[in-house]
Amino acid sequence: RASSRSSPRSRRPWPRPSLLAIGIMRWTRCCLATVAAALLQPVAAEGELKVKFEVANLDGGSTGSFTVLVHPDWAPVGAQRFSELVKQNFFSDIRFFRVISGFMAQFGIAGDPAAAAKWKNANIKDDPSKETNARGRVTFATAGPGTRTTQMFINFKDNSFLDTQGFPPFGEIVEGMEVVDTLYKGYGEGFPQGHGPDQGKVQSGGNAYLNRDFPKLSYIVKAELVSGQAPDAPAAQQKFEALPAVETKPLSEGSASSMSAFLLLGLVVFVVGGFAFWMMRGSKATDGRSSDFEPRDLEEELL
């Protein structure tokens, strides 16, 4: 009985591609993988900033760094103030003067008493709470409504109980939280509840007071913008107005870049794929191996 299946020899032969065509297809596959990896990289939302902090005198005397991602949509007024402080190089050589294990690390009083006095009463308006004070979130400290200035803290753990008390986060640690965990905590709570620094003396005495009485405090060497653009802001003043609503734009810079990448990817696929097909069509199947060649054989060669 004759088999209903056609023998391999009876099927239409696939032309065996030349080594050049196989090389082009391999190169195309590598290009596509590279472009796809680039397209999958997250694009920062419009207005977001990344700021890298270099810190020294960590527990044990080591150094390290951590990076803060600022989300203006979380707390626009707080985000603008933070950006202004970065732009004015405010954070250089300031101490983490209140670091409580299992709670938070507070900083933001200038080491120079003159600079501290300049910012002491530069209050900003409150932001509504949109996000929670989870571990790694960065939030301005406050003494009540409308009293945020330059002091802020990093949450060591989930402190969601602060969400309803006027502490809206404006950013989060995206790199180096393990460094934050090693900030020196030995002095604990500040005066008068604890044996740590007296905030009044930090304001008036600056780093001279802290270096003399609390020499083990960890401190910021510098803070620098690594991505995004810090918005222009007025010099420190008594009150700052809330940010205006963001104007809707047809395409953000990130969206336009993504579209261009997709168009380039399509062009590469079209040109190289067409050339490879032309090379395959031009190849002659003259030997026995050619007549037996099937698509799966090509797949095996490319793997």
Side-chain angles (χ1 to χ4, degrees):
R1 180 180 177 180
S3 173
S4 60
R5 286 179 149 185
S6 299
S7 67
R9 296 287 179 179
S10 65
R11 286 179 289 180
R12 182 179 180 180
W14 283 74
R16 187 176 185 86
S18 66
L19 293 177
L20 176 61
I22 293 176
I24 290 174
M25 286 185 284
R26 286 176 175 171
W27 177 81
T28 303
R29 183 173 63 179
C30 292
C31 290
L32 294 179
T34 302
V35 173
L39 292 175
L40 291 175
Q41 290 294 322
V43 178
E46 185 174 2
E48 288 185 345
L49 309 175
K50 270 189 176 181
V51 179
K52 181 179 180 180
F53 286 78
E54 294 184 10
V55 291
N57 210 27
L58 297 169
D59 197 358
S62 62
T63 62
S65 66
F66 62 87
T67 301
V68 175
L69 176 61
V70 180
H71 299 278
D73 55 320
W74 289 7
V77 182
Q80 180 177 359
R81 168 52 62 86
F82 177 80
S83 301
E84 179 187 2
L85 295 172
V86 172
K87 194 172 184 178
Q88 296 195 22
N89 200 31
F90 172 83
F91 293 105
S92 296
D93 204 31
I94 69 171
R95 271 55 179 167
F96 291 89
F97 62 85
R98 183 175 177 238
V99 184
I100 302 176
S101 181
F103 183 29
M104 57 89 229
Q106 188 170 340
F107 63 105
I109 300 179
D112 178 4
K118 170 187 174 183
W119 291 96
K120 183 177 180 180
N121 295 313
N123 301 337
I124 56 175
K125 291 184 177 181
D126 296 329
D127 284 302
S129 291
K130 296 181 181 179
E131 297 291 331
T132 186
N133 280 275
R135 170 174 163 80
R137 297 282 173 87
V138 188
T139 307
F140 273 95
T142 177
T147 60
R148 296 185 301 170
T149 55
T150 62
Q151 294 190 46
M152 58 195 71
F153 60 89
I154 303 170
N155 290 283
F156 282 133
K157 68 176 187 65
D158 181 4
N159 292 317
S160 57
F161 70 94
L162 297 174
D163 298 347
T164 58
Q165 299 182 31
F167 297 97
F170 65 86
E172 59 183 331
I173 306 295
V174 292
E175 296 176 18
M177 189 61 197
E178 69 281 0
V179 174
V180 176
D181 288 334
T182 60
L183 295 173
Y184 185 74
K185 307 176 182 68
Y187 298 122
E189 181 61 273
F191 179 86
Q193 290 83 7
H195 302 288
D198 181 336
Q199 286 197 34
K201 292 183 178 180
V202 178
Q203 290 277 356
S204 61
N207 285 344
Y209 159 69
L210 293 175
N211 291 339
R212 182 185 66 246
D213 294 352
F214 304 94
K216 293 185 178 181
L217 289 176
S218 303
Y219 64 90
I220 298 169
V221 177
K222 65 177 180 178
E224 58 182 355
L225 189 67
V226 294
S227 69
Q229 179 63 48
D232 292 328
Q237 54 186 357
Q238 189 68 20
K239 290 288 181 180
F240 282 77
E241 295 297 325
L243 293 177
V246 177
E247 181 181 356
T248 303
K249 298 181 179 180
L251 276 179
S252 67
E253 183 179 355
S255 300
S257 299
S258 296
M259 181 173 292
S260 299
F262 275 113
L263 291 175
L264 178 61
L265 173 62
L267 181 61
V268 170
V269 172
F270 178 78
V271 174
V272 178
F275 182 71
F277 179 74
W278 177 77
M279 292 294 296
M280 291 176 65
R281 285 288 301 271
S283 299
K284 294 182 179 181
T286 58
D287 55 15
R289 291 181 304 166
S290 299
S291 61
D292 291 338
F293 189 79
E294 297 184 34
R296 61 174 178 270
D297 297 324
L298 175 59
E299 182 179 355
E300 290 173 359
E301 288 204 22
L302 290 178
L303 290 178

